[in-house]
Amino acid sequence: MKKKIELLSPAGDLERLKIALRYGADAVYIGGRDYSLRANATNFSIEEIEEACDFAHRLGKKVYQTVNIVFHNEDIEGIYHYLKEAVAAGIDAFIVSDPFIISYIKNNFPQVEVHVSTQNSTTNLETVKFFQKEGVDRVVTARELSKQEIQEIIEATGCDIEIFIHGAMCTFFSGRCTLSNYVTNRDANRGGCSQVCRFAFDIDSNHDQKFTMATKDLNTANYIQDMIEIGVASLKVEGRMRSHYYLATVISSYRKIIDAYYNQALTKEFIQEQEQILSRVANRETSSHYFTHPADENDQYYTGRQELSNQDYLAYILDYDEKEQIVTISERNYFEPNTEVEIFMPSGKVVSFIIDKIYDQNMNELEKACHPEEILKLKVDEFIEKDSMMRLKIK
C-alpha cells in the first residue's frame, strides 16, 4: 500500500503552527525572519523554529522552512549560516526556488530534505527529472497544472509531488509577478508582494465601475480522491497570514475528507458537508481552477467583486470544568441566548447545542455577549477539548 498522503498546512507564527498540527496537519511550512516570501507575516526566529520543531516532532509530525525568495547578490550574504542554524533547530526540509541552494544543502546537510518551491514554476516532467538528478526530494509543481499533467509527471518520474489544494491563487504564473515592483516598489519575489492584482482600477472617465484582475480562491475538496489515486504525495493549503479559525476550519475539513477516503467512508454527501463548512470560512468565491479545466473567465474577478467577512466564529475555548460542566471561552463575535452553535475540536469531534445562559467570569448572568475577547462561561453537558472553537451552527 502506498504511503498515506500528507496534509501540509501553513503557519505564520508559533501559535498558528500548534493550531494547524493539533487540528490534523501532518506537517507545516513556516518562514524564518529572512529569505521567505511572506515578509509581512510574523514569521519565526531561530529560537521559535527550535520550539516549533520540538512541538511537531513530539507529535510525530514535520516542519518545513521556506527559503524561496529569488536571490539577488546582496541576499546571499548570511544564507549559509542561516541554513546551519535552522538545521540545528530541527528543520525537516527546506522549500527552495533558487538552484544554488539545492547542492549546498545536499552536500552539507544530507539528513534534511530539499523541496523545490512552486515559485520555480515547474510545469513538465523533464524539469522534475533534472531536479531529481540534483538530489531534490520533492517538487511543488506550478499551480497551473491539470490533473492529467500532474499524473503524467508522477508516472514518468516517481518523484514526490506536492500540489496546492486550497487558498489564494496568484494572478500571475505561480507567483512570478512584477506588478508589485512597478506599482508599489515592493518586490513580490523577495517577500514584499502588495497584492496589486486585488486593487480596484479606474477604467476611464466614462465608466464608474472599477476593474480588477484578481483570481478567485482555490477549493479542491471535491477532488481529493483523484489526487490520492494519481499518487500525489502532499496536499498543500495556502495561507501563512490567515487566522487561527481559518486554519483550524480548513485543516479540520481536509483531514476529515482524507481520513474518510482511507476508511472507505468518503461519500458525495460527506464532501458536500465539508464544502459547506469551507464556504463559510472564506470571504471570496472559489474554483477548482487548473486541476479540472483550463482557466477561464469563471475563475476570475473582473468587476463587482465583494469580500465580506462572516461572523460565524464566536469563541475560542480556554478550558472545561468537567465537574461543573462549564466551558470557559474567549469571545470573538456577538452572540446571545438561544443561538444555535457548534463547537469543533482538534480531535475532529463536533458538539452542537443551543446556548441557554451566558455568564461572566464570576458566573453573573449576561443578556448577551458583545465584547470581543471578553472571558465568558457557558453550560455545556459534553466534554469539550481545550483549544476548540465555537461557531454558528452550519446547516
Side-chain angles (χ1 to χ4, degrees):
M1 183 178 178
K2 290 183 179 180
K3 185 178 178 180
K4 190 173 182 180
I5 202 165
E6 176 184 85
L7 178 58
L8 177 59
S9 173
D13 56 32
L14 198 53
E15 194 173 348
R16 286 176 174 86
L17 176 141
K18 293 177 179 180
I19 288 291
L21 292 174
R22 292 200 63 206
Y23 274 85
D26 299 302
V28 292
Y29 63 99
I30 67 172
R33 298 284 168 84
D34 300 295
Y35 311 114
S36 166
L37 278 175
R38 288 293 179 270
N40 293 327
T42 303
N43 291 320
F44 289 71
S45 66
I46 291 297
E47 293 74 21
E48 288 170 330
I49 292 173
E50 185 172 6
E51 183 177 346
C53 292
D54 287 344
F55 181 85
H57 294 164
R58 286 198 301 271
L59 297 176
K61 302 186 177 187
K62 296 180 179 181
V63 180
Y64 308 148
Q65 183 173 348
T66 57
V67 186
N68 59 344
I69 66 167
V70 174
F71 281 78
H72 291 238
N73 291 336
E74 64 266 28
D75 298 316
I76 295 174
E77 183 179 356
I79 182 60
Y80 303 116
H81 178 69
Y82 185 77
L83 293 172
K84 183 178 179 180
E85 285 190 315
V87 172
I91 285 294
D92 297 286
F94 289 110
I95 304 171
V96 307
S97 63
D98 226 315
F100 83 92
I101 300 180
I102 297 172
S103 59
Y104 181 81
I105 294 172
K106 282 300 174 184
N107 289 332
N108 291 276
F109 312 110
Q111 75 276 25
V112 179
E113 290 190 359
V114 174
H115 301 173
V116 175
S117 172
T118 191
Q119 198 69 13
N120 197 79
S121 302
T122 302
T123 57
N124 65 81
L125 60 88
E126 293 299 333
T127 301
V128 174
K129 289 178 181 178
F130 168 80
F131 283 127
Q132 284 181 303
K133 291 177 182 177
E134 297 298 308
V136 162
D137 301 280
R138 178 184 294 182
V139 174
V140 189
T141 54
R143 288 175 171 90
E144 292 76 16
L145 295 189
S146 67
K147 173 187 172 181
Q148 180 180 345
E149 290 174 306
I150 295 166
Q151 184 172 2
E152 288 171 355
I153 289 173
I154 294 169
E155 291 177 351
T157 67
C159 183
D160 273 9
I161 295 298
E162 177 180 305
I163 63 174
F164 279 91
I165 60 167
H166 200 91
M169 292 285 283
C170 184
T171 301
F172 299 91
F173 207 96
S174 280
R176 297 200 170 194
C177 171
T178 56
L179 267 185
S180 184
N181 302 58
Y182 284 114
V183 177
T184 65
N185 200 31
R186 288 168 52 183
D187 192 339
N189 297 299
R190 296 164 85 185
C193 181
S194 56
Q195 296 191 323
V196 174
C197 57
R198 299 198 182 279
F199 289 10
F201 295 95
D202 292 323
I203 299 174
D204 57 40
S205 58
N206 298 318
H207 293 81
D208 294 329
Q209 198 169 33
K210 301 284 187 178
F211 169 79
T212 178
M213 64 190 81
T215 57
K216 295 177 182 178
D217 278 4
L218 177 67
N219 179 336
T220 61
N222 201 41
Y223 302 97
I224 299 304
Q225 178 171 340
D226 300 72
M227 295 170 184
I228 295 172
E229 292 180 350
I230 65 172
V232 172
S234 182
L235 304 178
K236 187 172 195 170
V237 173
E238 179 277 337
R240 272 187 278 160
M241 297 176 69
R242 301 274 193 166
S243 70
H244 302 72
Y245 174 64
Y246 177 91
L247 282 181
T249 303
V250 172
I251 295 302
S252 178
S253 285
Y254 278 104
R255 176 79 274 151
K256 290 178 179 179
I257 293 171
I258 292 168
D259 290 349
Y261 170 83
Y262 284 104
N263 292 329
Q264 299 182 330
L266 188 60
T267 64
K268 183 178 179 180
E269 292 72 25
F270 183 81
I271 293 172
Q272 288 174 340
E273 289 174 10
Q274 298 308 312
E275 284 193 315
Q276 174 69 4
I277 292 169
L278 291 168
S279 71
R280 293 293 297 267
V281 75
N283 63 353
R284 290 192 287 264
E285 295 178 57
T286 63
S287 164
S288 58
H289 287 278
Y290 300 89
F291 189 77
T292 57
H293 62 274
D296 58 29
E297 70 279 3
N298 297 310
D299 302 310
Q300 195 90 2
Y301 289 113
Y302 292 103
T303 55
R305 174 170 124 253
Q306 290 186 328
E307 297 183 4
L308 302 176
S309 176
N310 73 57
Q311 307 297 309
D312 285 358
Y313 181 27
L314 301 181
Y316 188 87
I317 308 307
L318 300 175
D319 199 10
Y320 182 75
D321 186 325
E322 291 187 67
K323 183 179 179 181
E324 299 295 330
Q325 295 187 317
I326 294 287
V327 64
T328 302
I329 65 174
S330 174
E331 182 199 341
R332 292 296 184 267
N333 280 298
Y334 175 92
F335 62 92
E336 56 191 25
N338 298 317
T339 303
E340 191 171 5
V341 301
E342 58 188 20
I343 294 177
F344 67 106
M345 309 185 205
S347 65
K349 185 179 179 181
V350 178
V351 171
S352 301
F353 62 100
I354 296 174
I355 293 175
D356 180 20
K357 295 179 180 180
I358 304 169
Y359 303 95
D360 66 14
Q361 291 188 75
N362 299 313
M363 293 303 291
N364 298 308
E365 188 174 344
L366 302 174
E367 292 183 1
K368 55 190 175 182
C370 55
H371 301 292
E373 298 197 4
E374 184 176 9
I375 307 302
L376 303 172
K377 295 179 182 289
L378 305 172
K379 284 269 191 180
V380 183
D381 59 9
E382 292 190 55
F383 176 78
I384 304 297
E385 300 167 25
K386 185 180 178 181
D387 297 325
S388 299
M389 301 190 193
M390 186 173 81
R391 64 190 174 204
L392 291 174
K393 184 171 176 59
I394 296 177
K395 303 175 182 179

